[in-house]
Amino acid sequence: MSRIGRLPITVPSGVEVKIDGENVAVKGPKGELSHVVASPIAVSLEEGTLSVTRPDDERESRSLHGLTRTLISNMIVGVTDGYEKQLEVIGTGYRVLAKGSDLEFALGYSHPVPVKAPEGITFTVAGNKVTVAGIDKQRVGETAANIRKLRRPDPYKGKGVRYAGEVIRRKAGKAGK
């Protein structure tokens, strides 16, 4: 039995869960999310707890068991608390500006780099720090990764866009005479 898949998910007060066949919809104070559960996995709601079960020990069923439970748990956390990732822009002349709900980066290129906010994602800028926030964990992480991809941290000088607290492995550079 999957150690993660067999754990019950407690539904906090203020969160409404609807199970319609294979579709699980979660509605909370911050918004609404839905997920289509893969066919061998079953989800049931009993007395404020969700349980995810699988019919057999096939390889596919075992791999989907824990995944489904985690995805539903992430949806519940998303509609109650939300998710956020923080990024830092480090480097001389590197900066970020908020243009309405979108961002504009100056990252050493000959042109500014605009970033549009995807649906359900909000950006906040404080100095050289950018916070990506939303209710969908996957979308928040993907948006933060795409922003980091604009200018990855340089291993020689450490300049670029990095996650807050990320440690960059530095290289020595030229040895000299």
Side-chain angles (χ1 to χ4, degrees), residues 65-133:
H65 190 200
L67 172 73
T68 303
R69 189 251 178 225
T70 303
L71 290 175
I72 294 171
S73 175
N74 287 346
M75 289 187 338
I76 291 174
V77 171
V79 297
T80 54
D81 301 333
Y83 289 100
E84 67 177 32
K85 287 235 181 204
Q86 290 189 334
L87 298 159
E88 297 173 338
V89 180
I90 296 174
T92 307
Y94 288 14
R95 55 180 200 276
V96 59
L97 298 170
K99 299 269 184 168
S101 63
D102 300 335
L103 298 176
E104 188 174 275
F105 287 90
L107 296 172
Y109 298 119
S110 61
H111 57 282
V113 181
V115 175
K116 293 204 178 293
E119 185 180 332
I121 298 294
T122 57
F123 296 125
T124 54
V125 178
N128 67 340
K129 294 188 188 304
V130 178
T131 303
V132 181

Side-chain angles (χ1 to χ4, degrees), residues 127-141:
N128 67 340
K129 294 188 188 304
V130 178
T131 303
V132 181
I135 62 172
D136 189 355
K137 186 175 185 177
Q138 191 270 335
R139 190 171 286 166
V140 168

Side-chain angles (χ1 to χ4, degrees), residues 24-102:
V24 177
V26 179
K27 187 175 183 181
K30 291 200 175 234
E32 187 172 351
L33 293 171
S34 65
H35 174 68
V36 178
V37 178
S39 61
I41 306 298
V43 180
S44 60
L45 176 65
E46 301 146 359
E47 301 161 9
T49 61
L50 282 169
S51 60
V52 180
T53 57
R54 66 174 191 242
D56 52 25
D57 282 342
E58 295 288 324
R59 184 181 183 92
E60 185 179 3
S61 298
R62 286 183 297 152
S63 64
L64 289 172
H65 190 200
L67 172 73
T68 303
R69 189 251 178 225
T70 303
L71 290 175
I72 294 171
S73 175
N74 287 346
M75 289 187 338
I76 291 174
V77 171
V79 297
T80 54
D81 301 333
Y83 289 100
E84 67 177 32
K85 287 235 181 204
Q86 290 189 334
L87 298 159
E88 297 173 338
V89 180
I90 296 174
T92 307
Y94 288 14
R95 55 180 200 276
V96 59
L97 298 170
K99 299 269 184 168
S101 63
D102 300 335

Side-chain angles (χ1 to χ4, degrees), residues 11 15 42 54 59 75 92 102 107 143 145-146 153-154 157 169:
V11 179
V15 176
R54 66 174 191 242
R59 184 181 183 92
M75 289 187 338
T92 307
D102 300 335
L107 296 172
T143 304
N146 287 338
D154 178 38
K157 294 184 178 180
R169 290 186 60 193

